[in-house]
Amino acid sequence: MKDVNWLKENYLSFLKGKEEKLKRRIEDLQKQECIDEANLQKIRLNIVEIFHRMFNISLSNNPELLREKYLGFFDKITGPWKINKEKAIKFNNDMEAIIEDIKIKEAEELEKQFKDYYRQLDIC
């Protein structure tokens, strides 16, 4: 039976694994002196760490409450990024647009994974 504890364990494991993979990737890129690419990976890592903290803040034994609170952070946090991306595009600031896009896509991936785990719960 998949319950809220299953969700917590699996999603936290997913986040931790993603953080570890990004840290290794950053380290490898730095060794290869690919500083720009390493910095972009650091942005991705930062997003994963932010949403890891938000998940811990959202933790509840009530799966609906957990879902509502955690998914609310995605709207609240990514909203300004989307606005910043549009402004960057409007003013031809390509680097800023790329950074905002990386942040948005990373958050979307985390949100999708959470929803996938949530759908697997046995909720009556």
Side-chain angles (χ1 to χ4, degrees), residues 12-26:
L12 286 170
S13 177
F14 164 76
L15 291 171
K16 194 175 204 176
K18 195 157 184 53
E19 288 172 351
E20 290 169 2
K21 182 179 176 184
L22 284 166
K23 287 176 183 175
R24 284 192 304 271
R25 179 84 173 120
I26 292 165

Side-chain angles (χ1 to χ4, degrees), residues 11 51 55 58 66-74 114:
Y11 190 67
F51 282 100
F55 185 73
S58 303
L66 168 61
R67 181 182 186 278
E68 182 181 326
K69 192 169 183 182
Y70 186 55
L71 292 180
F73 285 118
F74 285 95
F114 174 80

Side-chain angles (χ1 to χ4, degrees), residues 14-121:
F14 164 76
L15 291 171
K16 194 175 204 176
K18 195 157 184 53
E19 288 172 351
E20 290 169 2
K21 182 179 176 184
L22 284 166
K23 287 176 183 175
R24 284 192 304 271
R25 179 84 173 120
I26 292 165
E27 203 174 290
D28 290 344
L29 288 166
Q30 288 172 333
K31 286 177 185 173
Q32 297 171 26
E33 297 183 14
C34 299
I35 303 306
D36 290 341
E37 182 62 29
N39 288 338
L40 294 176
Q41 296 302 311
K42 286 179 185 178
I43 293 167
R44 292 181 69 204
L45 175 60
N46 186 43
I47 301 314
V48 175
E49 290 172 341
I50 288 169
F51 282 100
H52 190 156
R53 286 191 295 276
M54 296 305 102
F55 185 73
N56 285 331
I57 290 170
S58 303
L59 286 176
S60 169
N61 287 326
N62 179 329
E64 290 87 12
L65 184 61
L66 168 61
R67 181 182 186 278
E68 182 181 326
K69 192 169 183 182
Y70 186 55
L71 292 180
F73 285 118
F74 285 95
D75 294 331
K76 185 184 287 186
I77 292 171
T78 63
W81 298 344
K82 292 173 183 175
I83 292 167
N84 290 342
K85 179 182 173 186
E86 292 305 314
K87 287 180 185 176
I89 291 169
K90 182 179 178 181
F91 294 107
N92 296 318
N93 186 339
D94 295 338
M95 190 55 169
E96 188 64 30
I98 289 169
I99 290 170
E100 295 302 323
D101 192 54
I102 287 170
K103 291 162 49 176
I104 292 164
K105 286 184 177 169
E106 193 63 40
E108 287 172 347
E109 181 184 331
L110 299 174
E111 181 179 21
K112 179 187 178 303
Q113 187 62 51
F114 174 80
K115 287 178 177 179
D116 286 348
Y117 282 131
Y118 188 85
R119 275 192 283 278
Q120 295 179 51
L121 293 182

